[in-house]
Amino acid sequence: MARITSIIRTDLWNLNPTASQQVLLSQTVEIYRRVCRHLMGILLTHWPSLGGLSSQKRVLAVEKLIHQTAKNPNPKYRQFDQTFYKFPSYYRRAAIVFAAGQVSSYMTRYREWQSGTRQRRDAKPPILNPNSGCYPTLYKGQCYKLHGYSHIEIKVFNGTDWVWTTVGISSLRERHTVDSNKLRSPALIVNEQKRACHLSVPFECHPPQREGECRVVSVDLGINTTATVAVVNFDGTVTYREFIHPGRDIDCRDKRLKSVSKRASQTMGHGGSLQKGFCSHTYRKCRNINRQIGQIVSKRIVQIAQQFNADAIIFENLKGWKAKGGRKRSNLRQRFHGWLKGMIRDLTEMKWQEIGGQVIDVVAAYTSKLAYDGSGVVRRDSKNYALAKFSSGKRYNADLNGALNIAARGILQLTRRKDSEERSSQRSRRSPRSWACLCDLWTHTVSG
């Protein structure tokens, strides 16, 4: 796996404007959107000559069409300077870049529609939406001036002129404290409904090169236990185990989802139908709870990896997996729909990559079905499905057994060739095509 040299991560800096400053910020966003709508029409008209240019040359070409200067006394669209009097140059260039991106996307989708690449045969042609809900990008020195990390000075529109106003920063995260992180141009976000505003601040992060202590953190994602974590050394020694299951948040989410079916039966009656957007607020709250669960679990996984200085975090490759179980009127399918396997994996990768770690995906087949000690296929306990019964009669947690086998496959992938996730021992009575387990690390260490 190639080492990541730089990644982009975004922080949210909450602003604390006064009532009058809130009005100024809203007016700034409003006029910026008007400029973007105006520029989209111009770019669409001249796209045959502008589409093939680079981003920098395209900005210069559009400015020549709309902005009057000493070297360009007669621009084609003089009304731009008259309508948007004294519009700052850096705001104007940011608007040109955004409008060009919107028009480019529209032209690409329109060409695909013309060529017959459509989701449906009767699909309508795409439409250029000028009301795209964009927000202004702030360039340092010209659009904003940062005074420490407690106040920021922003150039805003007061209705007739562009002035500077100083706004307090109420809260921010810690990425600005890392010396290797480079602050990029933030965006001013204004929420009219909540009467709140913040800065979306991107950082260019340069992760350090990690030197682990020859151990990995393996994660088994399940529906009974959200995440089962095991820390395993390269020689097969299990250093640490932990079960991560935010039950309070899961119960809160499931309780809300259960209320939907009750309300649906009361609304539909017998043979009725539900209107569009039924229980949309409940579903939105459940999505937010799922996001919170993913953040809690991924944060704890990364903390464990940092605590034990792991070389990598190992997950099962569950991409494209679909639920097949669930009898009629059972809640098993609903539980599978609430399985946050993709979200937890992606959030963990983002957090772990930022501190220089790597995430490895291994084949998921037979991780929980084979015993980690090499005794063969396990059977689930009939009374407690979370327990696995080994052929020797021993009972063991099925998720933890899967986490140990996942760790073994990840270690083999790190230390051997990528095609050696299968057992290489020919002396065993088991088929050489059977998948690797934790016991293979013990055999490899003894033979080595």
Side-chain angles (χ1 to χ4, degrees):
M1 180 179 175
R3 179 174 174 267
I4 298 175
T5 56
S6 65
I7 54 177
I8 301 296
R9 293 291 182 265
T10 304
D11 276 359
L12 187 148
W13 293 5
N14 287 313
L15 301 180
N16 187 23
T18 61
S20 58
Q21 288 177 334
Q22 181 74 31
V23 174
L24 295 178
L25 295 174
S26 299
Q27 290 177 345
T28 304
V29 174
E30 182 182 355
I31 193 172
Y32 181 81
R33 290 179 176 177
R34 286 178 55 200
V35 170
C36 289
R37 289 196 297 267
H38 191 98
L39 290 171
M40 284 184 198
I42 297 174
L43 279 157
L44 183 62
T45 304
H46 297 272
W47 192 253
S49 59
L50 297 175
L53 302 178
S54 63
S55 179
Q56 186 174 3
K57 291 183 179 179
R58 188 183 296 132
V59 170
L60 296 176
V62 174
E63 283 192 326
K64 192 173 181 180
L65 290 171
I66 63 174
H67 184 52
Q68 183 180 10
T69 61
K71 295 182 179 180
N72 185 36
N74 298 311
K76 186 172 184 177
Y77 299 95
R78 287 190 174 186
Q79 67 272 20
F80 182 88
D81 284 338
Q82 298 171 1
T83 306
F84 307 105
Y85 181 64
K86 296 178 68 175
F87 194 79
S89 59
Y90 279 83
Y91 277 128
R92 181 178 64 246
R93 289 164 189 165
I96 292 172
V97 172
F98 175 80
Q102 294 293 106
V103 174
S104 176
S105 174
Y106 163 73
M107 294 301 295
T108 301
R109 289 182 285 115
Y110 189 78
R111 282 194 300 268
E112 290 179 353
W113 179 84
Q114 280 186 320
S115 64
T117 306
R118 309 175 188 179
Q119 292 184 349
R120 301 188 314 272
R121 184 177 297 179
D122 59 341
K124 295 181 179 180
I127 299 174
L128 177 62
N129 181 20
N131 300 313
S132 50
C134 55
Y135 294 99
T137 302
L138 309 180
Y139 291 95
K140 187 176 181 179
Q142 303 294 328
C143 303
Y144 81 95
K145 299 174 183 177
L146 198 60
H147 301 291
Y149 292 104
S150 58
H151 293 82
I152 184 172
E153 198 172 356
I154 304 174
K155 183 176 283 189
V156 295
F157 185 64
N158 63 2
T160 57
D161 198 5
W162 291 85
V163 297
W164 290 91
T165 182
T166 304
V167 185
I169 301 174
S170 58
S171 64
L172 66 168
R173 293 185 65 181
E174 71 286 345
R175 286 194 177 98
H176 63 280
T177 60
V178 181
D179 295 334
S180 60
N181 292 348
K182 186 176 181 181
L183 176 67
R184 293 296 187 180
S185 299
L188 175 63
I189 313 296
V190 178
N191 191 327
E192 294 288 352
Q193 295 180 348
K194 296 182 179 180
R195 295 184 177 275
C197 58
H198 66 269
L199 294 177
S200 178
V201 187
F203 285 90
E204 182 182 331
C205 305
H206 299 273
Q209 189 171 3
R210 291 187 62 85
E211 295 183 1
E213 298 180 359
C214 296
R215 61 171 62 103
V216 298
V217 172
S218 61
V219 184
D220 181 85
L221 302 175
I223 57 174
N224 295 317
T225 304
T226 306
T228 305
V229 182
V231 181
V232 182
N233 295 348
F234 281 10
D235 60 359
T237 304
V238 181
T239 308
Y240 181 77
R241 299 168 295 181
E242 183 173 326
F243 299 93
I244 307 174
H245 190 70
R248 181 181 296 179
D249 294 323
I250 294 173
D251 291 343
C252 181
R253 178 200 64 191
D254 293 343
K255 186 177 180 181
R256 291 178 184 274
L257 289 175
K258 193 174 182 180
S259 69
V260 173
S261 61
K262 184 178 179 181
R263 281 179 281 176
S265 62
Q266 293 174 346
T267 303
M268 290 190 302
H270 296 285
S273 59
L274 297 175
Q275 74 275 16
K276 184 179 180 180
F278 178 76
C279 290
S280 59
H281 293 293
T282 303
Y283 285 120
R284 176 182 55 82
K285 291 177 181 178
C286 291
R287 286 194 298 269
N288 292 338
I289 294 174
N290 281 339
R291 183 76 179 180
Q292 176 68 9
I293 293 171
Q295 294 286 3
I296 292 172
V297 175
S298 61
K299 181 179 179 181
R300 181 55 189 156
I301 293 172
V302 173
Q303 287 176 346
I304 294 172
Q306 284 185 286
Q307 177 184 349
F308 290 92
N309 196 17
D311 291 64
I313 299 177
I314 316 297
F315 284 94
E316 293 175 295
N317 187 2
L318 297 171
K319 187 176 182 180
W321 185 91
K322 293 183 180 180
K324 297 179 182 178
R327 292 178 294 180
K328 191 174 182 180
R329 298 187 181 277
S330 72
N331 65 342
L332 186 58
R333 280 188 177 273
Q334 181 179 343
R335 294 178 68 190
F336 275 125
H337 283 299
W339 189 18
L340 308 177
K341 60 183 190 310
M343 180 185 294
I344 293 175
R345 191 255 178 224
D346 294 341
L347 290 174
T348 304
E349 183 178 26
M350 287 190 289
K351 291 180 174 66
W352 187 233
Q353 281 183 347
E354 191 173 344
I355 55 180
Q358 63 171 321
V359 172
I360 297 176
D361 295 315
V362 298
V363 179
Y366 291 92
T367 51
S368 297
K369 198 169 185 179
L370 292 176
Y372 73 89
D373 59 359
S375 59
V377 178
V378 301
R379 292 183 179 181
R380 293 297 180 106
D381 193 293
S382 58
K383 296 182 180 180
N384 186 358
Y385 196 74
L387 294 179
K389 184 178 180 181
F390 290 15
S391 59
S392 59
K394 179 174 69 173
R395 284 175 171 81
Y396 201 76
N397 185 278
D399 293 331
L400 184 56
N401 176 66
L404 298 179
N405 290 335
I406 292 169
R409 296 182 185 183
I411 291 171
L412 291 176
Q413 188 169 325
L414 281 171
T415 56
R416 300 183 185 178
R417 298 183 307 172
K418 289 187 177 180
D419 59 352
S420 63
E421 289 183 36
E422 299 179 354
R423 282 195 178 92
S424 58
S425 176
Q426 299 295 330
R427 292 175 296 176
S428 174
R429 293 181 180 179
R430 295 176 298 239
S431 169
R433 292 185 179 181
S434 58
W435 299 103
C437 299
L438 185 67
C439 62
D440 295 299
L441 297 180
W442 307 336
T443 306
H444 177 67
T445 305
V446 172
S447 61

